[in-house]
Amino acid sequence: MIKPLRIEETEDTPKVLLDQENGTFEITGRSFPEDASKFYFSVLSWVEEYAQEPSKETNFYFYLDYFNSTSMKQFIELLIRLERISETGKKVKIIWTHSKNDELMAFKGKEIENMINLPFEFKIIE
Amino acid sequence: MDISIPYYFFRLFEKDTTSFIYQGTFSDDLTDKTIRLGEHSIRNITEFNRIRKRVSFLIAECLQNVIRYEEKPKVLHQTNNRPGTFMVRNINHAYYIISSNLIKNEKVGELKIKLKKINDLDKEELKKMQQKVLSDPVFSEKGGAGLGMIEMTRKSGHKLEYDFEFVNSYLSSFYLQVKLTANEETDATRSLLLNNAKDIYHEILDKKITILYKGDFSQQSMLPVLGMIESNLKKNTEQYNSRKKVFYLLVELLQNMSKHALEQNGLRQGILVICNKNQKHYIYCGNFIDIPKEEKLNIYLEKISNLDKEQLATLYKEHLFDGRIRPKGGAGLGLIDMMRYSEDKPVFNFHPYNATSSFFSLGFSI
């Protein structure tokens, strides 16, 4: 099993927790780093390695408060990798959470859902 | 939208290394954020390292003076709608911290006497007066504003500059300017006149500017600016969603500037101006670009600013899945996204500046 990846939250980057053993896959907080491809490099590498021997079920949680357009591009990269896992017959689901009044994050989630071939579940956090 | 705003104010503050202006509601949260911005602007300038704490102190004290003593009319109309204003400017070897707020006319006389008394004292006398105020609770109660002013004068090392402007039969505007220099003895810089700050106050008021920042646009400089804008938006925008969109647009705009603005002497100089008119935010920015890049950018902006929302969404999607990695990280995507969220058609122009560079201005509304 692949070693977990933990990245602590900063003012402009999210908390990332990817732990196959505990079945935890989540990105939390705000994401607007200066260089999003640099920040997400380790995340994408982890997912690529995970894709070699993925769990039967992957529930990937996005708890985002805010992100910029270059982070969006990295999420697409991440989701394309998860799509590939689901194509091998494993279950992959995206759980997109946003606060009740947050139209922008809800809209962004729907937008991504329409571009990616994976089941999305939308959850509202009070 | 008024696309002349970025260039006009950039020229007005051309000699400033950093200028920050805030006009609106004041709170303690704003104080923390402003101090961070002040400290950040100093970090890279060695000569100011020594006085960093004093700049922070003076920012806090000045802001708290406005918070504590500002007169807020219950009913706003043309003759009294003058929100509090706060400015921090770094020009050459000096920092200027300027505040403006309304006070009741009946308090003007007493405050004038206090300020004159403080300015008449020399360093030693100021120290003695401060000790007296601190040790005598009765005196300090009467002294009220006095203690803060004494402390500011001592920390500044210069005389306080102040003025009062008649607003109506009930209220006046009180202007206060505190100067701080890295080296008091050798400071031969011509002082910024308080009249200059008063003129700026009226221009800011007239154009309904709530935030203006002129300075370096690197990501590190941006974080305190964003923090401050966010705390201001929380207070002033009831609509959670429009607030979020403003913040979203700002991040894209500022990051675009930090990546693409022309770098001169290690700094990416530019300006950000936010106006608030009739419940709508107008966001403007401006920075230098190389003349050879102007034509290409102009054509690109012409093209995307004429697309409708649906066409923009399609283009956005194309860019997202575009595998080519651009050297500066996804140029274009941010611009397209900004266009998608702007309520009015975005405006932009290029102003010839010198033989090699142009000043590029861009404006959106939410």
Side-chain angles (χ1 to χ4, degrees):
Chain A
M1 223 170 252
I2 176 172
K3 260 191 358 195
L5 175 73
R6 281 192 190 87
I7 305 172
E8 287 309 316
E9 189 170 9
T10 71
E11 201 171 353
D12 55 0
T13 57
K15 178 183 161 193
V16 179
L17 182 55
L18 302 173
D19 185 340
Q20 183 174 16
E21 200 178 342
N22 292 319
T24 313
F25 309 91
E26 48 188 55
I27 299 181
T28 311
R30 301 153 65 122
S31 177
F32 53 103
E34 192 172 13
D35 188 343
S37 55
K38 193 173 158 195
F39 177 79
Y40 284 100
F41 181 79
S42 60
V43 178
L44 296 181
S45 305
W46 191 94
V47 175
E48 270 165 28
E49 206 184 326
Y50 171 74
Q52 307 291 317
E53 272 180 79
S55 306
K56 273 187 201 159
E57 234 181 279
T58 308
N59 290 324
F60 206 108
Y61 284 82
F62 285 89
Y63 297 100
L64 290 164
D65 180 40
Y66 176 80
F67 59 91
N68 65 352
S69 61
T70 49
S71 297
M72 173 87 164
K73 195 156 178 144
Q74 297 303 312
F75 296 154
I76 296 291
E77 290 294 327
L78 169 75
L79 293 164
I80 288 173
R81 282 159 179 78
L82 294 176
E83 250 180 18
R84 285 190 206 128
I85 297 176
S86 85
E87 281 159 12
T88 64
K90 308 276 184 189
K91 268 191 182 172
V92 180
K93 188 165 85 177
I94 306 305
I95 297 99
W96 188 272
T97 65
H98 60 86
S99 69
K100 199 179 168 189
N101 299 319
D102 198 341
E103 284 172 16
L104 188 67
M105 283 303 110
F107 175 78
K108 288 280 171 198
K110 289 278 175 203
E111 194 166 60
I112 297 175
E113 185 189 22
N114 288 330
M115 294 179 200
I116 295 292
N117 199 14
L118 283 173
F120 268 62
E121 184 187 328
F122 288 88
K123 268 195 178 165
I124 291 171
I125 312 169
E126 289 298 324
Chain B
M1 275 194 274
D2 179 0
I3 195 59
S4 68
I5 284 180
Y7 190 61
Y8 175 78
F9 283 97
F10 189 85
R11 289 304 295 262
L12 195 64
F13 296 110
E14 194 150 30
K15 292 201 173 81
D16 295 29
T17 311
T18 309
S19 26
F20 173 75
I21 303 178
Y22 175 89
Q23 186 162 70
T25 317
F26 283 76
S27 66
D28 286 323
D29 182 34
L30 183 79
T31 313
D32 295 343
K33 300 273 165 44
T34 314
I35 289 172
R36 264 193 69 196
L37 181 73
E39 288 191 337
H40 184 84
S41 76
I42 293 173
R43 199 175 303 160
N44 301 323
I45 313 170
T46 329
E47 69 167 326
F48 287 123
N49 258 328
R50 211 167 47 85
I51 60 162
R52 189 190 307 183
K53 281 207 170 125
R54 278 194 283 155
V55 173
S56 301
F57 173 84
L58 289 173
I59 288 176
E61 200 63 37
C62 251
L63 275 169
Q64 272 155 19
N65 258 329
V66 179
I67 296 167
R68 263 182 246 142
Y69 300 109
E70 185 181 30
E71 201 61 50
K72 289 179 187 152
K74 284 198 181 75
V75 182
L76 286 177
H77 44 74
Q78 230 178 348
T79 55
N80 71 4
N81 192 2
R82 290 187 164 207
T85 303
F86 183 76
M87 307 184 205
V88 183
R89 300 177 67 182
N90 168 215
I91 310 168
N92 296 322
H93 305 288
Y95 263 84
Y96 295 91
I97 298 157
I98 305 147
S99 64
S100 166
N101 59 274
L102 285 173
I103 66 162
K104 281 182 186 164
N105 287 337
E106 65 199 48
K107 289 185 181 165
V108 171
E110 187 194 344
L111 186 55
K112 261 187 192 168
I113 293 169
K114 260 184 199 165
L115 291 165
K116 189 178 179 306
K117 197 170 162 190
I118 291 170
N119 269 353
D120 284 344
L121 300 177
D122 65 22
K123 273 189 184 173
E124 242 351 271
E125 290 168 327
L126 268 173
K127 196 175 166 186
K128 275 187 195 145
M129 186 167 172
Q130 186 183 27
Q131 282 163 351
K132 195 176 164 194
V133 176
L134 280 171
S135 61
D136 183 348
V138 182
F139 187 79
S140 77
E141 211 173 283
K142 276 189 210 157
L147 189 59
M149 296 287 183
I150 297 167
E151 185 75 23
M152 278 202 276
T153 316
R154 290 195 64 204
K155 287 259 172 24
S156 135
H158 297 269
K159 301 280 177 207
L160 297 172
E161 290 177 74
Y162 57 91
D163 202 0
F164 297 88
E165 196 175 71
F166 182 81
V167 175
N168 59 28
S169 57
Y170 182 62
L171 296 162
S172 287
S173 279
F174 166 49
Y175 295 93
L176 178 70
Q177 176 169 293
V178 186
K179 183 182 175 182
L180 195 61
T181 42
N183 196 336
E184 289 160 34
E185 291 75 29
T186 60
D187 173 45
T189 323
R190 204 167 71 91
S191 258
L192 187 71
L193 296 171
L194 186 59
N195 277 340
N196 179 277
K198 284 163 68 180
D199 291 343
I200 290 168
Y201 173 85
H202 285 286
E203 294 214 44
I204 298 288
L205 188 67
D206 183 49
K207 299 242 169 6
K208 304 220 180 298
I209 292 171
T210 51
I211 285 171
L212 183 150
Y213 169 79
K214 188 249 172 193
D216 179 37
F217 278 76
S218 62
Q219 172 97 350
Q220 282 315 305
S221 314
M222 282 307 84
L223 291 175
V225 178
L226 277 171
M228 181 164 321
I229 292 168
E230 203 181 15
S231 87
N232 165 253
L233 284 172
K234 270 183 198 156
K235 269 174 204 78
N236 296 335
T237 315
E238 284 169 11
Q239 286 238 315
Y240 176 84
N241 281 300
S242 93
R243 187 171 90 202
K244 195 124 192 184
K245 277 182 195 160
V246 170
F247 190 75
Y248 185 82
L249 221 137
L250 272 173
V251 172
E252 294 299 331
L253 203 62
L254 297 177
Q255 288 189 329
N256 224 29
M257 286 172 82
S258 82
K259 279 177 193 152
H260 302 289
L262 188 63
E263 196 177 301
Q264 290 163 323
N265 307 320
L267 294 175
R268 292 184 196 274
Q269 278 280 327
I271 191 163
L272 170 78
V273 184
I274 304 178
C275 308
N276 204 331
K277 256 189 243 176
N278 309 324
Q279 301 290 313
K280 214 165 166 182
H281 297 275
Y282 295 87
I283 303 165
Y284 301 99
C285 67
N287 56 266
F288 291 113
I289 61 160
D290 273 329
I291 286 176
K293 287 185 181 163
E294 181 183 323
E295 197 187 341
K296 203 176 155 196
L297 184 59
N298 196 5
I299 294 169
Y300 183 66
L301 285 170
E302 277 292 347
K303 185 186 133 194
I304 60 171
S305 65
N306 282 310
L307 299 177
D308 62 31
K309 299 280 176 205
E310 214 164 292
Q311 289 169 316
L312 281 168
T314 312
L315 190 66
Y316 178 72
K317 203 168 158 182
E318 277 170 21
H319 270 70
L320 264 182
F321 283 88
D322 179 2
R324 282 174 300 162
I325 295 159
R326 292 178 176 79
K328 288 196 174 179
L333 191 64
L335 269 176
I336 299 165
D337 217 14
M338 284 187 261
M339 301 270 172
R340 292 174 70 199
Y341 292 104
S342 183
E343 205 163 295
D344 299 301
K345 189 183 165 187
V347 286
F348 59 92
N349 71 12
F350 298 88
H351 217 285
Y353 188 75
N354 59 25
T356 55
S357 54
S358 289
F359 192 83
F360 166 52
S361 305
L362 184 60
F364 297 97
S365 69
I366 280 186

